[in-house]
Amino acid sequence: MRYLITHYTEYRKNAVAEIRKVDESATAEEIMLTSTIITTKLEEKEFVERLKRSNPIFIRHIFPIHIEETLTYDKKTDLKIILKKAKTICSLKSNEKFSVQARMTEGAGVYNAKDIEIYLGEYYEDHGCIPVFSDDTLMNYDIHVISIVVIDQTCYIGYSLAEDNLSFQCNEYRVLGKEQPQICRAENKLKEAISKFQVRLQGEGNALDVGAAPGGWTKVLADYGYQVSAVDPGKLDQRLSKYKNIKHYRAHIEDVEFDKPFNLVTCDMNVDALKAAKFMCRIHKNLAEGGYSILTLKLPYRDEEIRIQKSLDILKEDYDILAVKNLTHNRREVTVFMQNKRKLENHRCSF
């Protein structure tokens, strides 16, 4: 069985290593900088279940390749070919939920991925199926997914359930990138983490943002309604001055004392991962019972897995680790979602 996985350009070897922890005999073929075809002898159900249980950090999305077809570069002809092939592997009943997700390399044809999604989507919708779009959320649904990737003239088509793809959308950057950040790119990084990990933000109480400047994460938290304490010796964007629920402590976090607990602590400081982990353990006493933390771990250019594991070992002293993932808006880093160990409540996480 073959699968197409996506990953950050520089983490291909890490993603392949995660596959080989599931099946050591699996082979890998790079087809794009961010995509690799995996071949395994394991049965599809067994392979997918093993992979999900392993909670991979670097694999962002996966789908089975059931059909490989050569296209013509003629839009009308190709759309008919793709639909005909998709129908052979995906026969949906009326009222079943579905999503068509397509990606194309630039210049692959005289049409684009959206053309494919609309053409196939209209067919299934006309037959009584219910389309689910990912523009508003990236949370997983119990839906049927038809995945199409076109590279040059080669088209890969697969059918699966969303829960088996590790991520609801095969091209999250296209979805997440539609909303332009107002302060800085980091805004989308936090928004993606909140959606990806299904963080239940109530928008009430206090939030602490460490390493806040220029204020991207601070803005996201303030927009949710938190009273935000933003700590950074650097300046915040002047547009944040209109927010009454933001207080900027222009200092290093070590020089600030707080007399209130925080419901949420976020940290995106540009420091070594081990240093960031030790720092989060020092300030966990400021986190309310059951409070959440979102942290990015900046990674070196070698031994990434070792650095991640050492950081998590430090964090586990004071936190329950709920999720670790190299997200779409991460680069050489991973985002960690965790909860204060003093009280662990039920939480549903999506990987």
Side-chain angles (χ1 to χ4, degrees), residues 32-85:
M32 289 192 295
L33 291 176
T34 59
S35 301
T36 298
I37 290 180
I38 299 297
T39 302
T40 173
K41 294 180 180 179
L42 295 177
E43 293 294 328
E44 185 172 343
K45 183 176 180 180
E46 180 184 5
F47 175 78
V48 170
E49 289 303 316
R50 283 190 186 184
L51 183 62
K52 289 194 294 185
R53 286 197 301 269
S54 71
N55 291 329
I57 294 173
F58 297 100
I59 301 172
R60 291 178 172 174
H61 185 275
I62 183 170
F63 75 84
I65 299 174
H66 292 120
I67 294 174
E68 180 177 335
E69 184 71 20
T70 301
L71 300 179
T72 67
Y73 280 160
D74 176 76
K75 178 179 178 179
K76 186 176 181 180
T77 301
D78 287 352
L79 291 178
K80 288 182 178 180
I81 290 173
I82 295 171
L83 175 59
K84 180 180 178 180
K85 297 297 181 179

Side-chain angles (χ1 to χ4, degrees), residues 179-191:
E179 183 178 351
Q180 294 301 313
Q182 296 184 32
I183 305 298
C184 63
R185 187 188 68 86
E187 286 175 50
N188 283 344
K189 184 162 56 175
L190 180 57
K191 290 177 181 178

Side-chain angles (χ1 to χ4, degrees), residues 195-224:
S195 176
K196 186 77 170 181
F197 302 143
Q198 299 190 30
V199 185
R200 297 170 182 167
L201 296 186
Q202 301 300 320
E204 300 176 354
N206 303 307
L208 172 63
D209 185 23
V210 183
W217 284 29
T218 296
K219 180 185 181 300
V220 173
L221 298 175
D223 285 342
Y224 268 98

